[in-house]
């Protein structure tokens, strides 16, 4: 995906210097920076689905014990 970002000159000049030094494009350095940011942030806020408030909310509902049959009943309403 292509995107446009605005960088101040105080970041652009050192970014270009680093790109030349590492023999990679400016875009590659930005991709690496985004990947590092996402990895760092995702590690700080892991998603624990088993402790999420909605996890298992339908498990005791007798209508949904057989999920496939429940879907069939719901979809049958479309034919009415």
């Amino acid at each position: 995906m292509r995107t446009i970002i605005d960088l101040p000159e105080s970041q652009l000049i050192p970014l270009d210097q680093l790109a030349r030094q590492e023999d990679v494009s400016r875009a590659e350095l930005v991709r690496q920076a985004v990947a590092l940011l996402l990895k760092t942030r995702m590690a700080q806020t892991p998603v624990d689905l088993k402790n999420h408030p909605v996890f298992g909310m339908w498990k005791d509902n007798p209508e949904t014990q057989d999920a496939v049959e429940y879907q069939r009943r719901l979809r049958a309403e479309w034919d009415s």
Side-chain angles (χ1 to χ4, degrees):
M1 184 190 95
R2 195 177 247 330
T3 190
I4 297 173
I5 60 171
D6 292 318
L7 296 174
E9 195 169 331
S10 62
Q11 291 178 340
L12 191 58
I13 291 171
L15 184 65
D16 284 340
Q17 290 171 346
L18 187 59
R20 280 192 301 277
Q21 192 176 10
E22 295 192 7
D23 196 27
V24 295
S25 68
R26 181 191 303 165
E28 176 57 24
L29 286 180
V30 171
R31 283 190 291 271
Q32 291 175 12
V34 169
L36 181 60
L37 173 72
L38 292 174
K39 181 180 177 184
T40 303
R41 295 284 172 89
M42 295 303 283
Q44 292 173 355
T45 55
V47 178
D48 183 5
L49 295 179
K50 289 187 177 181
N51 290 320
H52 196 278
V54 298
F55 182 79
M57 65 186 276
W58 285 28
K59 71 178 179 181
D60 296 324
N61 185 337
E63 286 188 35
T64 60
Q65 291 302 311
D66 182 346
V68 174
E69 183 54 36
Y70 180 68
Q71 287 179 22
R72 285 187 183 125
R73 282 197 313 270
L74 288 178
R75 291 176 180 166
E77 295 174 0
W78 301 344
D79 297 330
S80 303

